[in-house]
Amino acid sequence: MADEAGYELHIVIFIRSQLDYINSRYIYSLRRFYHHQTFEQFVDDALKGRLKNEKTKRGKIERRQDVFDFWSYFQPLLKARDKGLKVSFLPFRQGDLDPFEQFIFAINLSTELSWKPCPQRHYNRSPGTRGVWLARLLSQLLKERNISPKVIENSSQIILKEEQRQLWRDPSFWGYSRKLTKKVTRHFEKNNAKFAQAAWNCSWDEAFSKSNKAEHRRRSVYTPGSIETEMRMHASAQRLLGRIMRQQSAKKSSPPKRLIDLILPNR
C-alpha cells in the first residue's frame, strides 16, 4: 500500500530486555487495576505467554501470546526485512542514549534541529514502590466488589494523583530477586541469541551495552515498616475505593440524556 501511494515505509521498533519489559508491563497493568497478582505470579504467567486481562482476540484478529519472545513474535517482520522491507530494531537506551535520539538517528535526522520539547503533562509517568503496593491492594478491593476497571473513569491516573497528594517521592519499582532474574534470563536466552544475530548480527549482550544491564539492578519494592503504616495504606485504599464507588453510583442515578439534549445542550 505504501509503494502504491509513493511512500517509502520504514518500520522502527524498540526492543527492551524481557526483564525490563515484563517489569514495565506489570506496573502498567496494575495501575489500571487489571489484576492483583504478586510480581512473581505475573512473571510466571509472562513466561507461559499469558498477559493478565488482555483478550485473546481484537475483533476477528487473534492476539499473539508470545509477546515477550522476540525471536518468535517478530518472525513476520524479520522475513519481510529479508525481502526488502526497511526495518530497524533498536535496543532500548543502548549506551544510555535517550530513546528520542535513538529514533532520530535511525531515520537519519539531526538531533540539533529545533525539536519542540514535550510538555511535562504528557510525560509517561509510572508509580513508585508505594504506588505499586497501593495499586495492588486497591485492585484486590475492586475485584472483591466486582467493579470492572473498564468502568472506572481515568483509572490510570488514580494512583499517580494519590502519590502527588501524599507527596511520595519513591524509587522506581523493580520486582526481581536474583533468583527470579536468573529464571527469566535463562528462559529467553536461546531465542534472544537467535534474535540478536538476525536483527543486529551480534550477540544479545553486545546489543545491550553494559550500562544498560537490567540484571544488575537491585530489587526495589515496598513493604510497610509497621502495623500503623500498613493501616494508613489500607485507609488510603479504602478512601480511593469509596470515591470510585460514589462515582459509579452517581453514573447509575443520573437520568439518560435525550437525543435533543445531545444536539442542543445549551438551548
Side-chain angles (χ1 to χ4, degrees), residues 77-103:
L77 275 181
L78 288 169
K79 291 177 180 177
R81 192 182 66 167
D82 290 341
K83 294 179 180 179
L85 179 64
K86 194 172 183 180
V87 181
S88 297
F89 296 101
L90 306 183
F92 186 67
R93 288 194 177 279
Q94 186 181 43
D96 282 338
L97 267 181
D98 183 276
F100 177 74
E101 291 188 345
Q102 284 183 272
F103 176 71

Side-chain angles (χ1 to χ4, degrees), residues 113-131:
L113 296 174
S114 55
W115 299 101
K116 183 179 179 181
C118 176
Q120 193 168 1
R121 67 180 182 276
H122 294 314
Y123 283 6
N124 182 23
R125 290 180 51 234
S126 293
T129 50
R130 269 181 292 189

Side-chain angles (χ1 to χ4, degrees), residues 31-33 121-127 152-164 240 243:
R31 69 183 260 206
R32 287 161 174 78
F33 315 117
R121 67 180 182 276
H122 294 314
Y123 283 6
N124 182 23
R125 290 180 51 234
S126 293
I152 302 173
E153 187 176 345
N154 208 16
S155 63
S156 66
Q157 297 299 308
I158 291 175
I159 296 299
L160 295 178
K161 288 181 178 179
E162 181 64 13
E163 284 185 322
Q164 290 178 329
L240 294 174
R243 184 189 305 165

Side-chain angles (χ1 to χ4, degrees), residues 2 93 100 104 118-119 131-132 142 144 146 150 177 179 195 201 210 213 236 247 253-254:
R93 288 194 177 279
F100 177 74
I104 291 303
C118 176
V132 170
L142 292 168
E144 291 171 359
N146 294 318
K150 295 178 182 178
S177 62
K179 182 179 179 180
F195 177 79
N201 196 31
K210 293 182 179 180
K213 286 282 188 180
S236 294
Q247 289 175 349
S253 61
S254 59

Side-chain angles (χ1 to χ4, degrees), residues 98-219:
D98 183 276
F100 177 74
E101 291 188 345
Q102 284 183 272
F103 176 71
I104 291 303
F105 289 142
I107 59 176
N108 296 320
L109 292 178
S110 172
T111 57
E112 296 180 2
L113 296 174
S114 55
W115 299 101
K116 183 179 179 181
C118 176
Q120 193 168 1
R121 67 180 182 276
H122 294 314
Y123 283 6
N124 182 23
R125 290 180 51 234
S126 293
T129 50
R130 269 181 292 189
V132 170
W133 194 95
L134 182 61
R136 181 170 172 252
L137 175 58
L138 180 53
S139 187
Q140 187 170 358
L141 295 175
L142 292 168
K143 178 69 174 178
E144 291 171 359
R145 286 156 181 79
N146 294 318
I147 300 175
S148 169
K150 295 178 182 178
V151 302
I152 302 173
E153 187 176 345
N154 208 16
S155 63
S156 66
Q157 297 299 308
I158 291 175
I159 296 299
L160 295 178
K161 288 181 178 179
E162 181 64 13
E163 284 185 322
Q164 290 178 329
R165 194 189 75 82
Q166 298 268 17
L167 300 179
W168 291 343
R169 299 289 186 270
D170 296 330
S172 300
F173 176 88
W174 186 253
Y176 293 99
S177 62
R178 288 185 179 180
K179 182 179 179 180
L180 195 57
T181 295
K182 290 180 180 178
K183 181 180 178 180
V184 174
T185 302
R186 287 172 182 168
H187 181 87
F188 294 107
E189 193 169 26
K190 288 184 179 179
N191 277 1
N192 277 353
K194 293 178 184 177
F195 177 79
Q197 192 62 39
W200 305 304
N201 196 31
C202 68
S203 72
W204 180 264
D205 287 340
E206 286 175 313
F208 286 86
S209 60
K210 293 182 179 180
S211 59
N212 193 25
K213 286 282 188 180
E215 57 263 37
H216 294 324
R217 290 181 63 176
R218 291 187 177 183
R219 191 165 185 251

